[in-house]
Amino acid sequence: MKQLVALLISLLFLLVNIVAKAQVNTQDSLALVDLYNSTNGANWKLSTNWLTKEPVSSWYGVTVNDNKVVSLSFSDNYGNNLQGTLPESIGNLSYLVYLDLSENSISGNIPSSIGNLSNLIKLSLYSNNFTGTIPESFGNLSSLSELSMSECYALNGSIPSSLGNLRYLTSLDLSVLSLTGSIPESFKNLTFLKSLGLGNNLISGPIPDIFGGMSSLSYLDIGSTNISGSLPPSIYKATNLKSIDFTDCQLSGTISDSLGYLTKLMDFRLGGNRMSGSLPSSIGNLRKLTTLYLGGNNFSGSLPDSLFSSVGLVNLDLSYNQFSGRIPSNITNLPSLEILGLSKNLFTFSGMEEVANMKVKNKYYYPQGLVPLVRTGDTIKISVGGTPENNTYRWYKDGKFLLLNKKDSTCPINGVGKYSAIITNDVATDLTLYSDTITITSLPIKAIKLFAKENDGQTLLQWKVVDEINTATYQVQRSLDGKNFTTIATLYSAGNGNNSYSYKDEGAIITDVPNIYYRILSTDRDGENELSSIVITSVSARNMQLISVFPNPVKNRVTIKGRHIKELILTNSIGVQLAKIIVRDATNPSMEVGTQAKGVYFISAKTTDDKEITLKIIKE
């Protein structure tokens, strides 16, 4: 007990000396003593004059103005080795304007009392071992301009929405923490913000549409987080942006053509997301761009020529996407380019020869995706671009070498099997293209000979097939104009060899056109199709053969079945005309014969194209 009393007396004596000599108010002095004791001051790397009789203004890291502590700075490149925790009394330094405790080993919770420092303009706590959450009371720091808390890995919880109250904030760095939750909507109030760092956290959800009023924002980093959704429209209104980093998130959607408004953008990183669509041509407006990282997305389509208008590009990474088409020739107009990534896309040799000749320190354009093979009749084709004379095609069937072509990009089908190709180019030597595999299960039909004739008022189609192998089906197709065909029947193949087929079209009673067209579509078992030649049949001849009477024999009224009939004449067995009816353009007209005596009569039916047929009836 005596020792404790003696210690308290010593501390009181020391404090009296400090206050008397330094003329610093008691509240500030007590807070400084607490800070020293709570953070293991005896082991600080730099602690000049602390807790001595020297003026407080001479203590390392302390700035005094008008007997009040206005600044505490304990940061250097190596840290001052502050350990332990921050005391609640630090919030009593009410005149503090500048507080920098960065790059130390301070642990524990951040005192909520810091929110009492209403005069604070700059607060730096980055690179410490703080735990717990960011106090909501930070929203009370109404004068704050800069807040940096990055690399405090153990800080967790959500971002306090109260930070949106800091209207004079120009720099906010909360990167490399363990923050969760979403980005507060209240950040839209930070209209003076120039730099926002939220990267390397566990925050999620969509990016709120908060950037419309951030006309001063020049640096934005939300990379390596779990944010998702599409880019908010207001991002394109922050026209002073110089750097955007959304690397390794879960963003989707497309890049708007409004990207062209960000004319000051120098660094644009969207790699490692799920973005899709093509690049807008307005990207050419970003003339100050030095870094463009879009790798690891699902972008597709061809590269716009305007992309290479940014002649100051140093780093360009478009790898691991679905870009295709010709690489624009003006890619060679990038004198500052040091890194070029084009690999893992769907590019071929189109424009790749120019890329191969570029003087770029780090250049990657291999590998590319599989190039599709296309079967055309009895050949297989592949399109790989480049100068034809520079291309060499090695063809394989069932994994075994089949053929080597220089310049020629086709391979004749040599029996059923699996075909593939490997293509190299004499200039773009770092790129070898591989085709997909096409399986040929049947050989093409050599010929289909189609014939058509009238049979009992209907069309009889007959065709012969030479060298039929593994054909699956034949589709009978009919057309009224010779251009637009409809399938009216499907017949299955009879098997390999030379075969004959026939089909009777019983439903083609169509008289609105002069002719009907037919063709045959054959389909192999591997899905390949082949068409026969077209045959034509006359409608009027068919119409005449399809005209008949009903009932027959008849008692009273007889119906003449047919179309486009314009006249009916009834005669007796010796040719005397008994009745005549003008019906113009009729379908299935009828005639009264009930007044005639029993016997044999004839009805002559004339059609609108002046064809005539005589039908025999029996009157009961």
Side-chain angles (χ1 to χ4, degrees):
M1 184 68 180
K2 291 181 179 181
Q3 292 178 341
L4 178 60
V5 171
L7 178 62
L8 290 174
I9 291 173
S10 298
L11 288 174
L12 181 60
F13 177 76
L14 177 63
L15 184 60
V16 169
N17 279 309
I18 292 172
V19 174
K21 185 131 186 197
Q23 296 183 342
V24 172
N25 66 62
T26 303
Q27 178 176 275
D28 287 3
S29 300
L30 288 171
L32 292 178
V33 173
D34 281 351
L35 177 64
Y36 183 87
N37 291 328
S38 296
T39 57
N40 195 18
N43 290 316
W44 290 357
K45 289 184 177 180
L46 296 170
S47 58
T48 306
N49 293 336
W50 270 78
L51 301 190
T52 68
K53 294 181 181 181
E54 297 301 318
V56 172
S57 59
S58 70
W59 293 7
Y60 174 80
V62 179
T63 302
V64 176
N65 184 35
D66 194 22
N67 300 328
K68 302 174 184 66
V69 177
V70 295
S71 173
L72 286 178
S73 177
F74 290 94
S75 176
D76 55 37
N77 292 334
Y78 305 101
N80 201 31
N81 200 33
L82 272 68
Q83 300 175 346
T85 61
L86 291 182
E88 280 287 337
S89 60
I90 197 170
N92 295 333
L93 298 170
S94 55
Y95 293 95
L96 209 59
V97 174
Y98 183 95
L99 177 58
D100 187 353
L101 302 175
S102 58
E103 296 182 289
N104 283 286
S105 300
I106 307 172
S107 57
N109 292 337
I110 299 173
S112 60
S113 62
I114 290 181
N116 299 332
L117 306 179
S118 57
N119 291 305
L120 205 61
I121 294 176
K122 180 176 180 179
L123 175 58
S124 295
L125 301 176
Y126 68 86
S127 192
N128 275 285
N129 299 326
F130 292 117
T131 56
T133 61
I134 301 173
E136 281 281 348
S137 63
F138 275 22
N140 299 328
L141 302 175
S142 56
S143 300
L144 201 63
S145 174
E146 297 181 36
L147 174 58
S148 176
M149 303 182 66
S150 64
E151 298 183 40
C152 296
Y153 305 99
L155 273 179
N156 54 47
S158 59
I159 303 172
S161 60
S162 62
L163 297 183
N165 299 334
L166 308 181
R167 294 182 179 273
Y168 298 106
L169 206 61
T170 60
S171 176
L172 175 59
D173 189 356
L174 302 179
S175 58
V176 200
L177 308 178
S178 297
L179 299 177
T180 57
S182 58
I183 301 173
E185 289 276 355
S186 61
F187 277 16
K188 66 183 179 182
N189 298 323
L190 305 179
T191 54
F192 292 102
L193 203 62
K194 296 180 179 179
S195 175
L196 176 60
L198 301 175
N200 286 275
N201 275 288
L202 302 175
I203 56 176
S204 58
I207 305 173
D209 203 18
I210 58 176
F211 302 101
M214 295 186 181
S215 58
S216 299
L217 191 65
S218 61
Y219 174 86
L220 176 62
D221 177 10
I222 316 181
S224 297
T225 64
N226 295 322
I227 57 170
S228 57
S230 57
L231 298 180
S234 64
I235 194 74
Y236 304 109
K237 296 180 180 179
T239 54
N240 277 304
L241 273 169
K242 296 180 180 178
S243 176
I244 297 176
D245 189 348
F246 293 147
T247 308
D248 294 332
C249 296
Q250 299 179 34
L251 294 172
S252 56
T254 61
I255 298 177
S256 168
D257 194 57
S258 300
L259 177 68
Y261 294 129
L262 305 182
T263 55
K264 297 182 180 180
L265 201 59
M266 301 173 65
D267 192 331
F268 188 27
R269 301 172 188 263
L270 262 177
N273 281 281
R274 303 170 183 174
M275 303 290 291
S276 58
S278 57
L279 298 185
S281 59
S282 65
I283 199 169
N285 295 344
L286 312 184
R287 299 298 179 90
K288 296 183 178 181
L289 206 60
T290 60
T291 295
L292 178 61
Y293 175 36
L294 302 179
N297 280 282
N298 295 311
F299 290 115
S300 59
S302 57
L303 301 180
D305 289 351
S306 60
L307 173 61
F308 307 111
S309 300
S310 306
V311 294
L313 270 171
V314 177
N315 304 312
L316 175 60
D317 188 351
L318 305 175
S319 57
Y320 288 85
N321 279 286
Q322 301 292 317
F323 289 119
S324 60
R326 181 178 178 83
I327 298 173
S329 58
N330 63 341
I331 192 174
T332 59
N333 299 333
L334 302 177
S336 303
L337 199 63
E338 295 181 2
I339 298 177
L340 174 61
L342 298 173
S343 57
K344 284 290 185 177
N345 280 284
L346 299 175
F347 292 123
T348 61
F349 293 123
S350 293
M352 202 63 79
E353 293 168 326
E354 290 86 346
V355 171
N357 287 323
M358 292 176 65
K359 304 299 182 183
V360 179
K361 185 183 300 182
N362 298 293
K363 182 171 51 182
Y364 311 98
Y365 56 87
Y366 171 80
Q368 297 294 332
L370 298 179
V371 184
L373 294 174
V374 178
R375 176 181 177 177
T376 304
D378 57 358
T379 62
I380 300 172
K381 295 184 178 181
I382 188 170
S383 178
V384 296
T387 304
E389 291 77 8
N390 292 335
N391 293 339
T392 300
Y393 302 82
R394 291 173 174 83
W395 291 92
Y396 296 83
K397 177 186 173 188
D398 296 327
K400 297 180 180 179
F401 179 76
L402 175 65
L403 178 67
L404 186 145
N405 284 343
K406 185 73 174 178
K407 182 179 177 180
D408 186 2
S409 63
T410 63
C411 174
I413 295 175
N414 183 21
V416 297
K418 296 181 178 180
Y419 289 77
S420 60
I422 299 176
I423 309 96
T424 56
N425 182 277
D426 294 341
V427 177
T429 54
D430 286 346
L431 176 59
T432 297
L433 292 177
Y434 295 85
S435 76
D436 60 7
T437 298
I438 186 170
T439 301
I440 304 298
T441 58
S442 62
L443 299 180
I445 295 172
K446 297 299 183 183
I448 299 177
K449 298 180 179 180
L450 177 63
F451 304 93
K453 63 179 181 179
E454 298 302 325
N455 183 22
D456 296 330
Q458 298 161 342
T459 300
L460 177 63
L461 298 169
Q462 296 175 316
W463 65 97
K464 295 180 180 181
V465 181
V466 179
D467 292 341
E468 179 180 359
I469 299 178
N470 289 335
T471 304
T473 59
Y474 294 98
Q475 295 180 45
V476 180
Q477 297 186 338
R478 183 174 65 200
S479 172
L480 304 182
D481 57 7
K483 297 179 181 180
N484 301 298
F485 285 83
T486 303
T487 298
I488 59 174
T490 301
L491 280 68
Y492 290 97
S493 168
N496 298 341
N498 300 332
N499 297 305
S500 298
Y501 300 87
S502 65
Y503 174 76
K504 183 182 290 187
D505 183 10
E506 298 178 348
I509 308 174
I510 305 170
T511 57
D512 296 324
V513 293
N515 299 307
I516 299 180
Y517 305 81
Y518 293 92
R519 71 183 183 188
I520 303 298
L521 174 67
S522 68
T523 302
D524 292 342
R525 298 188 189 280
D526 61 357
E528 290 294 320
N529 297 321
E530 183 170 336
L531 288 169
S532 72
S533 58
I534 297 173
V535 296
I536 306 172
T537 62
S538 170
V539 172
S540 58
R542 186 201 334 264
N543 285 340
M544 296 307 300
Q545 294 175 16
L546 290 177
I547 294 176
S548 61
V549 294
F550 180 84
N552 193 15
V554 60
K555 289 185 178 181
N556 296 306
R557 181 171 287 275
V558 64
T559 297
I560 293 81
K561 298 180 66 176
R563 293 186 177 187
H564 294 277
I565 299 174
K566 70 175 183 179
E567 181 180 282
L568 298 175
I569 297 175
L570 177 66
T571 60
N572 59 19
S573 59
I574 59 175
V576 176
Q577 180 175 314
L578 302 176
K580 180 178 180 180
I581 300 176
I582 305 299
V583 292
R584 298 187 182 278
D585 189 358
T587 298
N588 300 333
S590 62
M591 174 177 275
E592 179 61 51
V593 296
T595 59
Q596 306 298 330
K598 294 181 179 181
V600 175
Y601 296 88
F602 296 91
I603 296 179
S604 296
K606 183 179 292 187
T607 63
T608 55
D609 56 358
D610 290 326
K611 298 294 190 299
E612 186 174 347
I613 188 172
T614 300
L615 304 169
K616 178 181 177 181
I617 64 171
I618 298 175
K619 172 64 174 65
E620 292 182 335

